[in-house]
Amino acid sequence: MIERIKALLAEVENLQAQNAEELEALRIKYLSKKGEINALMGDFRNVAAESKREVGKYLNELKESAQNKINELKACFDAANDSTDLVDLTRTAYPIALGTRHPLSIVRGEICDIFARLGFSIAEGPEVEDDWHVFSALNFAEDHPARDMQDTFFIQHHPDVLLRTHTSSVQVRVMERQQPPVRIICPGRVYRNEAVSARAHCFFHQVEALYVDRQVSFADLKQVLLFFARELFGAGTEIRLRPSYFPFTEPSAEMDITCHICGGKGCNICKHTGWVEILGCGMVDPNVLESCGIDSHTHSGFALGMGIERIAMLKYRINDIRLFFENDLRFLRQFAVAE
């Protein structure tokens, strides 16, 4: 039996395989349950007691050598495959261009960073909402004409379910589960049934801010707005507030900034007024606070909201909102320096 084992040892040392299939055949021949080494293990019980130690030594050596040889050949095949994979003959010889963040992502990041420095945290909510969170809790009565201000996408089979028209619904959800102080910003996508044009789209992005606490005043709102405008558009930016109307704030205002393109002297962008409107704001209506379970006699707050597309168009002098959604690389590559 020792002579048979030595002959197999010599065979194993000289094993060769041209491909993975041949290697697998060798493994089956020598190391499988029905292989030659396993057969020798079965015959080992018939070896005389005084020879078992010597025969066992050779048998273990044979099994170890066979396993090592199979592993060695397998490693050679793996290394050859890896080296082949590293060479992609279809790859261009030119350097691969790195992508950039989308301009809306850049502007959203800047806005969120400014409010984060003021202590605001980010809150998010669902885009498919119910009537309560989008309208009723925000002081929109069922027959309130203010509902006509926003053309809404309703779910056909369930008219109380709709695509949110503003991220104010997130503010309601936060106030329902959290007592003041509340200091949040709500970025996200919103939907309105509008004709797509250079100035409007059926979906766009908003950032809204909410601050509710004791003794929050309009002066606090104005100071936050001034800080925000100067951080985003430059230190020399001035603001003005014009009376306006929103169902969920009272008093309400539209905020304009000095046109950073003409410096307030008048141009086509600002329609020669020197001012550009960028957002709406106001003090949270007491009815909204009460709807969310907050005592309006002890707490007050302010809210503001803006379209990210509008800010980006002003900041980068873009004249067509549709450019943000067409994925034209010629347009997007221009924002590599804005990272």
Side-chain angles (χ1 to χ4, degrees):
M1 188 173 183
I2 291 179
E3 294 302 322
R4 185 181 171 192
I5 293 173
K6 288 182 177 180
L8 285 175
L9 270 171
E11 284 184 27
V12 167
E13 290 296 327
N14 296 313
L15 287 181
Q16 295 293 332
Q18 300 300 320
N19 51 52
E21 290 76 15
E22 291 185 11
L23 179 61
E24 179 63 13
L26 292 174
R27 187 194 68 79
I28 293 173
K29 178 181 179 181
Y30 291 101
L31 295 172
S32 67
K33 289 184 177 181
K34 296 182 179 180
E36 297 193 25
I37 295 178
N38 207 43
L40 288 175
M41 293 286 189
D43 293 341
F44 182 70
R45 67 172 71 105
N46 301 321
V47 175
E50 62 274 11
S51 301
K52 279 185 179 291
R53 182 173 182 180
E54 183 180 6
V55 173
K57 176 182 177 183
Y58 280 106
L59 198 55
N60 288 333
E61 182 181 347
L62 172 62
K63 184 176 181 180
E64 184 177 349
S65 296
Q67 187 65 63
N68 290 340
K69 188 66 176 180
I70 296 295
N71 291 341
E72 179 184 333
L73 293 173
K74 185 176 184 300
C76 291
F77 286 129
D78 291 342
N81 291 335
D82 290 343
S83 62
T84 302
D85 293 341
L86 291 175
V87 181
D88 182 2
L89 299 180
T90 65
R91 180 177 174 180
T92 176
Y94 297 99
I96 297 177
L98 295 177
T100 66
R101 289 187 299 159
H102 194 277
L104 295 182
S105 297
I106 296 172
V107 173
R108 168 179 163 155
E110 291 178 354
I111 294 173
C112 291
D113 178 67
I114 293 171
F115 279 98
R117 282 181 271 145
L118 292 171
F120 287 76
S121 59
I122 295 177
E124 297 181 330
E127 295 180 7
V128 179
E129 267 289 6
D130 54 52
D131 181 89
W132 169 258
H133 290 96
V134 175
F135 292 123
S136 298
L138 291 167
N139 207 33
F140 287 81
E142 289 188 8
D143 57 349
H144 200 296
R147 287 180 182 261
D148 297 332
M149 294 167 58
Q150 302 175 9
D151 293 326
T152 308
F153 287 108
F154 289 95
I155 304 303
Q156 181 177 3
H157 299 295
H158 200 315
D160 287 335
V161 180
L162 52 110
L163 298 180
R164 67 184 183 186
T165 60
H166 46 208
T167 57
S168 302
S169 56
V170 182
Q171 299 179 20
V172 175
R173 288 184 175 274
V174 171
M175 286 190 289
E176 284 178 334
R177 66 173 183 263
Q178 176 184 334
Q179 285 296 306
V182 175
R183 189 181 298 185
I184 58 170
I185 55 172
C186 313
R189 184 163 46 191
V190 300
Y191 305 84
R192 296 184 187 178
N193 186 18
E194 297 185 5
V196 177
S197 67
R199 306 295 295 177
H201 210 287
C202 59
F203 72 89
F204 55 98
H205 300 79
Q206 275 189 338
V207 174
E208 298 192 18
L210 172 71
Y211 178 38
V212 179
D213 204 346
R214 295 179 184 273
Q215 298 181 344
V216 176
S217 68
F218 201 95
D220 298 318
L221 169 61
K222 185 177 179 181
Q223 188 60 39
V224 167
L225 293 173
L226 181 61
F227 176 82
F228 167 74
R230 289 181 173 176
E231 288 295 304
L232 189 63
F233 293 101
T237 303
E238 296 295 335
I239 68 171
R240 74 174 183 183
L241 298 173
R242 292 179 289 105
S244 185
Y245 167 76
F246 302 108
F248 33 82
T249 55
E250 179 60 37
S252 305
E254 301 278 1
M255 187 185 91
D256 303 330
I257 62 169
T258 48
C259 181
H260 65 290
I261 296 175
C262 64
K265 298 179 181 179
C267 64
N268 290 333
I269 299 297
C270 63
K271 299 179 180 179
H272 301 283
T273 65
W275 297 93
V276 179
E277 176 190 325
I278 66 167
L279 58 82
C281 60
M283 301 301 294
V284 180
D285 192 292
N287 291 337
V288 175
L289 296 177
E290 296 291 344
S291 296
C292 298
I294 297 175
D295 188 350
S296 62
H297 296 95
T298 57
H299 293 85
S300 58
F302 64 73
L304 60 96
M306 71 199 82
I308 298 179
E309 282 84 353
R310 183 174 183 82
I311 300 296
M313 291 173 75
L314 289 172
K315 190 174 179 65
Y316 299 124
R317 306 186 188 186
I318 298 169
N319 59 6
D320 194 326
I321 194 174
R322 292 169 292 190
L323 291 171
F324 292 122
F325 311 112
E326 292 176 348
N327 297 322
D328 190 329
L329 293 179
R330 295 169 300 175
F331 171 73
L332 297 176
R333 288 193 187 107
Q334 299 177 69
F335 299 92
V337 295
E339 290 280 0

